[in-house]
Amino acid sequence: MATKESFIPFRSPFRGVSALPQRHAQGGFAALSVNVDSSQGVIRSRPGYNVLYQEKASGTECRTLGVSSTLTSAGEARIIWVYYKSTASESWGTLELNVHLSNGTKVNSFTLSSHPYDVVPGPYEFPSFVNYMGSVYIVFKKGCMYKYDTETDEVTKVIASNITRSEVFPYFQSIPDGTIAEAHGRRLFMAGFDGDKSSSVTTNIPEDQNFIPESVIESSRASLVLPQNAIVFSDFDDPTVWRSTNLLATPKGQKVTWLASTESELLVFTEQAVNVVRSF
């Protein structure tokens, strides 16, 4: 708590406890600063913000869709910025990804809506970021996943591994088209499915099985339709391999809205409740 109120010149929505004698008559409460700077030995409100980088180009408008940060193996910070750029020359605009240092210097840039990438551009294509195995995986709403490599500063599309060995239960032929991703227990978890799109598998699903609910298997048994309450997870340490039996679900009717990993549990948020996944 600041000892001089002049360092906090605005009212805060939070209430804190003050040790100042003059505050005791008022119940001992005092405002807390929302955005504070303690680098000078006192708590004072920050003087503002610092613009690290701003995209400036005539005839364009940019909208930030997502920002994430990560560290290289040498401990250097990287800032990943995904934004939509509307231009007069592109009828649908473009989707861009920049990589910056912490001082704003641009390290690399990619147009994700152009070859060899295939993200459909739009002002509402908000990505989901997850740090996993030394890289940052980026999932978009249209069901595509990309990897930013912190060592090469390059972005590549994640393609499902081609499983050639004989397996009783098939694998997904492509990366599941979820829009929410989280790393937990050496696996990558995916959720946020629309409940309409089919996901093909490598071989037909056996009829005499009870690992995959029959309600999500299509009549050909060559694909699944993952519902909105579904959660799928990859093999250990490999986000390119997704077995069709690696499937969980929240209670029926509870659409998954977010995933969050703790040290021992995976929290699954829905519109009605928070569920917990353990033993992974």
Side-chain angles (χ1 to χ4, degrees), residues 11-67:
R11 294 181 60 83
S12 165
F14 302 104
R15 300 182 73 190
V17 178
S18 174
L20 299 178
Q22 61 266 34
R23 282 292 186 181
H24 291 173
Q26 303 173 24
F29 289 104
L32 284 175
S33 177
V34 175
N35 190 9
V36 299
D37 174 19
S38 59
S39 62
Q40 304 301 317
V42 295
I43 299 177
R44 69 182 76 197
S45 59
R46 293 188 189 276
Y49 59 88
N50 180 32
V51 177
L52 297 178
Y53 179 85
Q54 185 173 0
E55 186 73 14
K56 295 181 179 180
S58 60
T60 66
E61 293 185 4
C62 299
R63 180 183 186 183
T64 296
L65 301 178
V67 178

Side-chain angles (χ1 to χ4, degrees), residues 74-151:
E76 298 176 349
R78 292 289 188 273
I79 300 172
I80 305 170
W81 175 37
V82 176
Y83 63 99
Y84 170 73
K85 183 165 68 173
S86 173
T87 63
S89 60
E90 297 282 348
S91 57
W92 296 100
T94 61
L95 203 68
E96 309 288 335
L97 185 150
N98 287 2
V99 179
H100 297 267
L101 301 179
S102 57
N103 62 4
T105 302
K106 185 190 293 186
V107 177
N108 214 336
S109 61
F110 308 88
T111 300
L112 298 181
S113 52
S114 299
H115 184 78
Y117 313 106
D118 60 357
V119 182
V120 178
Y124 304 104
E125 291 302 310
F126 304 109
S128 173
F129 301 92
V130 56
N131 282 275
Y132 179 59
M133 296 183 63
S135 298
V136 178
Y137 288 82
I138 310 165
V139 178
F140 288 91
K141 294 178 68 175
K142 292 294 192 296
C144 49
M145 183 164 67
Y146 291 83
K147 181 180 78 169
Y148 164 65
D149 191 315
T150 57
E151 303 308 312

Side-chain angles (χ1 to χ4, degrees), residues 128 141 177-182 189-195 226-233 247-261 266-277:
S128 173
K141 294 178 68 175
D177 60 338
T179 60
I180 302 169
E182 179 64 298
F189 286 74
M190 187 96 62
F193 302 99
D194 60 15
L226 296 171
Q228 294 182 338
N229 66 328
I231 306 165
V232 297
F233 52 93
L247 179 64
L248 303 171
T250 59
K252 189 174 182 180
Q254 293 193 19
K255 175 183 177 181
V256 178
T257 57
W258 201 250
L259 302 173
S261 176
L266 178 69
L267 304 181
V268 181
F269 296 84
T270 72
E271 295 174 337
Q272 292 82 21
V274 178
N275 301 277
V276 177
V277 177

